[in-house]
Amino acid sequence: MNKKPIIIDTDPGIDDAVALAIALHDKTLDVRLITTVHGNVSLEKVTRNALKLLHFFNKDVPVAAGSDRPLLRDVIDASEVHGESGMDGYEFAAPGNILLKDEHAVNAMYKEIMESKEKITLVPIGPLTNIALLIRLYPEVVKEIKEIVLMGGSTSRGNASPAAEFNILADPEAAKIVFQSSVPIVMLGLNIGDKAKIYNEDSKKIKDLNQTGRMIHDLFQHYRGGTMETGLTMYDSTAIGYLSKPDMYQVAEAYVDVEVTGQLTMGATIVDLEHQFEQQSNAKVAVDLDDQAFKHWLINSLARCN
Ligand code: BDR
Ligand code: CA
């Protein structure tokens, strides 16, 4: 079977680390490039975290650092969820910079997309700044991208504000550009992430799997995306799960737009599931997840890591 070529745009991030672990060891996925973006912590830290993870997994995937801030707004971060380093809880070995490209993420993505024989799927699991810049700087990529499978937004309420999910609130204008780009989009929002939970007993199982499991278990002790009792939310892995096992999800076509002027609702994704705006759908939106199947998939996938 042909592996699906993907580029992961990320801000690791503890749940990003789990998503990267799974994607890098999934036999159906070919991770061609990892690009980094401001988000959970600063660009410098998330880039270093991506390199730390690749060194830990002994995987030679190139990394390109991208935008260190949103298009228009001030930077926000989520260090209260992921810790000061973005991946608090595990002492990673110093990674070196061999895999770090001397090129901006947007240019690295552009080359990878244009030079690939097969169309590439973009998997953004952080704020959408790099993807928006790619679309604006190189509009010819739009018809060359197979799909954007993103973790962000929500069909209901938010986590970074009552109305907005973090990845969208961190750069609402970028998200608006992406949703209006006409690239086929699959949206895995907070409504799905909130069903993708790992509990204490699962974390203990994960710890006993292998060295990746031990590392992730240690990170989980510091992760504040939920609690061990109410469940830790594996937001970013829902995007990888969709690529790997789409039958775990129920999706609906919808028109999605992003609030960029609201005073209280800034960064909210407006997901028109009932077609009230009478606009053409621009995304497939995940509306349900088989949570037990997801948990099995996640633990089995981590079991395949080293
Ligand atoms: C998203 O925000 C980040 O903190 C997580 O890594 C995830 O991408 C969830 O709202
Ligand atoms: Ca993330």
Side-chain angles (χ1 to χ4, degrees), residues 15-16 40 78 82 125 151 159 165-167 190 235-236:
D15 62 321
D16 301 70
N40 286 320
H82 303 266
I125 53 176
M151 191 280 130
N159 58 353
E165 182 278 329
F166 176 79
N167 288 341
L190 212 59
Y235 297 119
D236 290 340

Side-chain angles (χ1 to χ4, degrees), residues 191-210:
N191 52 303
I192 290 302
D194 283 339
K195 294 190 164 185
K197 288 194 175 182
I198 286 295
Y199 294 85
N200 206 10
E201 63 271 20
D202 308 315
S203 185
K204 283 187 188 143
K205 265 190 221 158
I206 289 171
K207 181 184 181 189
D208 292 337
L209 293 174
N210 44 37

Side-chain angles (χ1 to χ4, degrees), residues 99-118:
L99 295 174
L100 185 61
K101 280 167 123 19
D102 187 17
E103 184 174 38
H104 193 280
V106 171
N107 293 327
M109 273 195 266
Y110 174 67
K111 280 188 195 155
E112 195 59 50
I113 292 165
M114 300 310 273
E115 286 167 11
S116 176
K117 284 202 194 96
E118 264 180 277

Side-chain angles (χ1 to χ4, degrees), residues 14-15 18 88-89 198-199 202-204 206-207 213-228 232-234 298 302:
I14 292 176
D15 62 321
V18 180
D88 276 10
I198 286 295
Y199 294 85
D202 308 315
S203 185
K204 283 187 188 143
I206 289 171
K207 181 184 181 189
R214 284 190 288 285
M215 177 268 282
I216 283 169
H217 173 270
D218 288 357
L219 294 177
F220 282 171
Q221 309 312 305
H222 290 256
Y223 181 48
R224 296 290 170 267
T227 68
M228 283 291 183
L232 297 177
T233 36
M234 298 295 106
L298 187 127
L302 289 174

